[in-house]
């Protein structure tokens, strides 16, 4: 009898446990049945955030608006002081992020490369310098993957580094060069651009190639004049001048309307194609495009400076792609250092600079041999929503979830928070949250492409700190209307 009573008691307890488990399942969006040992283990793993909080009323209102009727949203927000999830709507859904992906690349660069690391471009020579100043040898310009050389994000005088190089060439006693200028620009190889970028991005001033040498942001400005409707725009010049650059001009002058002109071309090819329309009777129209072969261009530009300083040079100008010769027992003439990685990150986040970001991506993946996905996975971050086709977010093949962005924001807060632009104040988010309670209280990176709008960053309000991310793919109406609704959402949540 006692045995029967014990069996009945155990069965009753088991059935009660199952019933309670079913009730819990009905109240939580996703729930796995776990044995006690596994429950304890999961609690240990989730010390920072609990990902199963439901969406708020503010979020419910947001996603049920007409604007988001056909859209796809991923949102996640965490209280950084206690790890509690503030709001979660499809937080683990992988969506195309646009430039908010720069948060992932930047956070990785700060940890892998180090915030204080600088990148160096070196001017070297081999051979010997005679008593009368003749260098019987070659000049080498060795790239270290620095995207800031002559960049307008760093210096007002973009050619200052060249002036300093001339000073050092003279200091070395070189008056004439009996040899060649060889640019060693092969640090990342010569693929130039990620294979998943679209044709519409190639040759633009935001889709430049990434190589061991970068100069002037790898951008030139094309100047045009226009006459009567039906003619082609006249090409006046490029600044800087690029030797051998040619244009297939398919542009058209029209009687009215705005300038809608664009330039396309592939890496390392000294030919660019002009498409689109421009208004008639306009002078000094400009459009920017990418320098096709920045390593070769820098060698040529360096030679112009030599001649301007009356340093004789009659040799050839080439690059590591075209010449296998490397220096033997080289001696240093000059070294130009980049700002530290932390400053590079601050600039790229503020102005959403694809060019800077792709250099950091290549430095991480190729020179350090570190996979960004594997790096975060090894740190315990769930990276299943992450697909990387580039570092900047320009490829539509990239995916990431809001929760993964928040996880990385949490892991990288000490490095990253003060490098993000301030909403309502800085860069691409200067108008975001302007004249709202959150103005000046949010440090955030934005991302936008056709059909994509995203934000990720930190909120600091009323003594509390939060990390959040939102990614939206497709919506009804214009972008301004969507941004207004996002601003309302964030002000309601925080």
């Amino acid at each position: 009898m006692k045995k029967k009573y014990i069996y009945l008691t155990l069965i009753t307890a088991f059935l009660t446990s199952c019933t309670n488990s079913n009730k819990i399942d009905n109240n939580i969006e996703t729930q796995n049945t776990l044995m006690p040992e596994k429950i304890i283990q999961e609690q240990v793993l989730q010390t920072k955030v609990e990902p199963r909080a439901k969406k708020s009323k503010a979020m419910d209102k947001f996603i049920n608006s007409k604007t988001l009727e056909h859209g796809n949203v991923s949102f996640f927000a965490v209280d950084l002081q206690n790890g509690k999830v503030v709001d979660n709507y499809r937080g683990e859904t992988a969506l195309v992020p646009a430039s908010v992906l720069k948060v992932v690349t930047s956070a990785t660069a700060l940890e892998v490369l180090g915030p204080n690391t600088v990148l160096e471009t070196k001017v070297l020579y081999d051979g010997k310098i005679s008593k009368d100043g003749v260098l019987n040898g070659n000049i080498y310009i060795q790239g270290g993957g620095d995207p800031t050389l002559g960049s307008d994000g760093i210096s007002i005088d973009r050619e200052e580094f060249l002036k300093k190089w001339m000073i050092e060439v003279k200091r070395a006693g070189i008056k004439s060069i009996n040899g060649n200028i060889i640019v060693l620009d092969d640090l990342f190889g010569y693929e130039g651009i990620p294979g998943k970028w679209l044709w519409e991005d190639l040759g633009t001033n935001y889709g430049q190639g990434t190589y061991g040498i970068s100069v002037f942001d790898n951008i030139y400005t094309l100047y045009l004049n226009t006459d009567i409707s039906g003619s082609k725009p006249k090409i006046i010049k490029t600044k800087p001048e690029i030797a051998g650059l040619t244009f297939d001009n398919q542009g058209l002058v029209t009687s009215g309307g705005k300038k809608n002109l664009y330039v396309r071309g592939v890496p390392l090819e000294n030919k660019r194609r002009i498409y689109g329309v421009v208004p008639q009777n306009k002078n000094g129209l400009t459009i920017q495009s990418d320098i096709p072969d920045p390593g070769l261009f820098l060698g040529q530009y360096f030679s112009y400076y030599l001649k301007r300083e009356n340093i004789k040079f009659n040799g050839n100008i080439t690059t590591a792609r075209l010449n296998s010769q490397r220096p033997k027992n080289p001696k240093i003439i000059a070294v130009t250092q980049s700002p530290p990685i932390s400053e590079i990150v601050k600039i790229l986040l503020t102005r959403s600079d694809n060019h800077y970001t792709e250099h950091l991506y290549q430095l991480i993946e190729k020179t350090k041999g570190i996979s960004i996905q594997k790096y975060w996975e090894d740190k315990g971050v769930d990276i299943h929503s992450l697909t990387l086709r580039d570092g900047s977010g320009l490829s539509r093949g990239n995916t990431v979830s809001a929760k993964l962005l928040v996880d990385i924001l949490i892991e990288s807060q000490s490095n990253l928070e003060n490098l993000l632009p301030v909403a309502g104040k800085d860069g691409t988010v200067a108008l975001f949250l302007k004249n709202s309670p959150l103005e000046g209280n949010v440090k955030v990176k934005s991302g936008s492409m056709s059909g994509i709008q995203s934000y990720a960053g930190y909120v600091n309000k009323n003594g509390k700190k939060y990390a959040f991310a939102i990614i939206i793919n497709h919506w009804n109406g214009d972008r301004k209307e969507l941004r207004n609704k996002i601003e309302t959402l964030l002000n309601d949540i925080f």
Side-chain angles (χ1 to χ4, degrees):
M1 188 70 182
K2 282 186 178 180
K3 286 185 178 181
K4 286 184 179 181
Y5 176 78
I6 292 169
Y7 291 149
L8 285 172
T9 302
L10 289 172
I11 291 169
T12 301
F14 175 77
L15 291 173
T16 301
S17 173
C18 291
T19 302
N20 289 337
S21 176
N22 287 334
K23 287 180 180 178
I24 292 171
D25 285 346
N26 291 332
N27 292 326
I28 298 178
E29 291 181 1
T30 306
Q31 179 70 54
N32 295 322
T33 304
L34 302 173
M35 294 301 289
E37 293 83 4
K38 195 164 185 181
I39 291 173
I40 293 169
Q41 183 183 15
E42 185 172 88
Q43 287 173 343
V44 171
L45 291 174
Q46 295 176 356
T47 55
K48 291 188 177 177
V49 297
E50 168 52 55
R52 296 187 176 90
K54 289 187 177 180
K55 66 180 184 295
S56 64
K57 289 182 180 179
M59 176 58 68
D60 195 56
K61 179 183 176 183
F62 177 74
I63 63 172
N64 285 300
S65 67
K66 187 71 175 177
T67 304
L68 273 301
E69 185 177 8
H70 303 291
N72 205 349
V73 180
S74 180
F75 183 89
F76 202 76
V78 172
D79 186 323
L80 290 173
Q81 290 166 310
N82 57 27
K84 183 179 178 181
V85 175
V86 175
D87 211 336
N88 176 14
Y89 177 71
R90 305 189 71 214
E92 297 188 62
T93 300
L95 298 178
V96 183
S99 283
V100 81
L101 189 70
K102 291 180 173 70
V103 168
V104 177
T105 308
S106 297
T108 313
L110 289 166
E111 295 198 18
V112 171
L113 304 177
N116 299 318
T117 297
V118 297
L119 307 171
E120 294 184 338
T121 306
K122 298 178 180 179
V123 182
L124 314 167
Y125 75 92
D126 60 8
K128 293 183 178 181
I129 302 171
S130 68
K131 291 181 180 179
D132 54 354
V134 177
L135 170 60
N136 291 297
N138 299 318
I139 295 280
Y140 298 86
I141 303 175
Q142 184 178 68
D146 176 14
T148 72
L149 191 68
S151 169
D152 64 7
I154 301 300
S155 175
I156 296 174
D157 183 358
R158 302 180 69 182
E159 300 189 11
E160 181 181 1
F161 74 95
L162 284 161
K163 297 170 185 176
K164 289 182 177 178
W165 287 3
M166 290 304 108
I167 291 171
E168 295 305 320
V169 168
K170 291 179 179 179
R171 184 172 293 166
I174 298 173
K175 299 177 181 177
S176 177
I177 300 168
N178 186 19
N180 301 318
I181 295 172
I182 302 173
V183 182
L184 306 178
D185 58 349
D186 56 344
L187 184 65
F188 307 140
Y190 293 101
E191 184 178 4
I193 61 169
K196 295 295 183 180
W197 282 7
L198 300 178
W199 165 246
E200 68 183 42
D201 300 320
L202 307 190
T204 63
N205 65 344
Y206 60 85
Q208 313 96 301
T210 304
Y211 308 99
I213 284 285
S214 168
V215 60
F216 305 145
D217 298 299
N218 289 0
I219 292 173
Y220 67 89
T221 301
L222 176 63
Y223 290 81
L224 305 160
N225 290 342
T226 66
D227 288 329
I228 62 172
S229 177
S231 63
K232 290 185 177 183
K234 295 179 180 178
I235 298 170
I236 305 303
K237 64 178 180 179
T238 67
K239 187 178 180 181
E241 183 181 349
I242 301 173
L245 182 62
T246 62
F247 294 94
D248 176 10
N249 185 2
Q250 299 299 318
L252 180 66
V253 178
T254 60
S255 58
K258 297 180 180 180
K259 180 182 74 173
N260 185 21
L261 203 68
Y262 47 97
V263 180
R264 298 288 182 267
V266 297
L268 304 172
E269 183 179 291
N270 241 17
K271 183 177 182 179
R272 290 293 177 263
R273 295 163 180 83
I274 302 172
Y275 302 97
V277 297
V278 285
Q280 64 183 359
N281 300 321
K282 296 286 185 181
N283 292 332
L285 292 174
T286 63
I287 184 172
Q288 290 186 319
S289 178
D290 71 320
I291 297 173
D293 190 340
L296 185 62
F297 165 75
L298 180 57
Q300 293 166 344
Y301 213 68
F302 179 73
S303 75
Y304 300 156
Y305 261 80
L306 290 173
K307 291 176 182 177
R308 199 171 76 176
E309 297 296 322
N310 296 316
I311 299 171
K312 295 179 181 179
F313 169 71
N314 295 310
N316 297 318
I317 303 166
T318 187
T319 69
R321 180 172 66 93
L322 305 170
N323 189 306
S324 61
Q325 191 169 1
R326 298 295 181 271
K328 296 179 180 178
N329 303 315
K331 302 172 184 65
I332 294 175
I333 296 175
V335 178
T336 300
Q337 292 187 332
S338 74
I341 294 296
S342 59
E343 188 174 337
I344 293 175
V345 167
K346 185 175 179 62
I347 295 167
L348 79 84
L349 291 172
T350 300
R351 68 183 198 173
S352 199
D353 195 306
N354 294 334
H355 187 56
Y356 281 21
T357 315
E358 292 302 330
H359 278 73
L360 297 186
Y361 180 78
Q362 295 289 342
L363 287 163
I364 295 164
E365 297 261 340
K366 290 189 176 176
T367 67
K368 295 296 183 180
I370 292 174
S371 161
I372 292 177
Q373 290 102 317
K374 185 69 164 55
Y375 177 80
W376 291 105
E377 185 178 31
D378 289 346
K379 289 175 74 70
V381 174
D382 181 356
I383 52 89
H384 287 93
S385 67
L386 183 61
T387 305
L388 287 180
R389 302 303 185 194
D390 62 22
S392 63
L394 188 55
S395 171
R396 290 178 177 271
N398 297 308
T399 65
V400 71
S401 68
K403 182 180 183 299
L404 176 54
L405 287 170
V406 169
D407 286 344
I408 290 177
L409 286 169
I410 292 170
E411 289 283 342
S412 305
Q413 184 181 359
S414 60
N415 281 332
L416 195 61
E417 183 177 5
N418 291 327
L419 302 180
L420 284 162
V422 178
K425 306 288 184 183
D426 301 328
T428 59
V429 294
L431 297 178
F432 184 58
L433 296 169
K434 191 81 172 176
N435 299 321
S436 82
L438 286 178
E439 179 183 347
N441 295 317
V442 178
K443 296 178 179 178
V444 62
K445 178 73 191 79
S446 65
S448 60
M449 291 196 301
S450 176
I452 302 167
Q453 186 64 61
S454 54
Y455 296 94
Y458 306 94
V459 177
N460 189 346
K461 189 180 179 186
N462 298 328
K464 286 193 171 184
K465 278 194 175 185
Y466 309 89
F468 81 96
I470 183 170
I471 308 170
I472 299 169
N473 287 184
H474 309 299
W475 63 89
N476 300 323
D478 61 25
R479 193 180 298 273
K480 183 178 179 181
E481 181 183 1
L482 176 67
R483 284 174 174 162
N484 289 340
K485 289 188 178 296
I486 295 172
E487 289 177 337
T488 301
L489 173 68
L490 296 179
N491 277 288
D492 287 345
I493 289 175
F494 301 112

